[in-house]
Amino acid sequence: MSRALPKYNKRRVGLIGGAAAVALSGAVIAGSALAGESSDDNGTNARTLAGPGTISCPDVAPRLPAVPASARAEVDRNLGQLDTQIAEANQRLADTVGQGGPNFVQNAILGPLEDKRAAAINRIATAIGRTAERPAGLDALAACTFTK
């Protein structure tokens, strides 16, 4: 028996296996690219989902009094957190479309968001209150609304 035969078989098996892997990968990619498309192009079988809606919150910055320079960095940081919280809530809203019952958005998204916003607004008021008069009435800006 020749010593070249086992090497030849290994190469052949490797070549055939590699070609099969490439063909299978191509089939998977083509299948996922065509997923959801129908054979007729008139669009009658297309299914669209309604958008998840958006969460709107009152803007806090215009309601603030003059911010002392010593509190400016902390106030800006907390205002940025308020924007981030809204973006995260909208993302969670999009990720959970169709989940939960009739009060899901209120209980799972708006309620916790209001608590987070109230804490950030309180930190803003405290930062201003250290060197100037603490602003009143900002707590009303914590609540947000959901629009479909």
Side-chain angles (χ1 to χ4, degrees), residues 93-138:
L93 185 65
D95 292 344
T96 59
V97 170
Q99 292 183 9
N103 295 326
F104 177 78
V105 172
Q106 178 60 43
N107 295 336
I109 299 175
L110 289 179
L113 176 61
E114 183 175 353
D115 294 340
K116 290 177 185 177
R117 284 179 57 84
I121 290 169
N122 188 32
R123 287 191 299 270
I124 291 171
T126 301
I128 294 172
R130 286 188 193 118
T131 55
E133 185 176 341
R134 181 182 171 98
L138 294 179

Side-chain angles (χ1 to χ4, degrees), residues 52-56 83-96 109 113 145-146:
T54 57
I55 294 176
S56 303
D83 293 337
T84 302
Q85 291 167 358
I86 296 169
E88 290 171 351
N90 279 319
Q91 182 61 45
R92 181 151 187 232
L93 185 65
D95 292 344
T96 59
I109 299 175
L113 176 61
T145 58
F146 169 68

Side-chain angles (χ1 to χ4, degrees), residues 18 33 35 37 41-42 48 53 57-58 61 65 72 85 99 110 120 133 135 142 147:
E37 290 190 15
D41 292 333
N42 61 6
T48 58
C57 302
R72 174 55 60 192
Q85 291 167 358
Q99 292 183 9
L110 289 179
E133 185 176 341
T147 54

Side-chain angles (χ1 to χ4, degrees), residues 13-25:
V13 168
L15 182 63
I16 292 172
V22 168
L24 183 60
S25 298

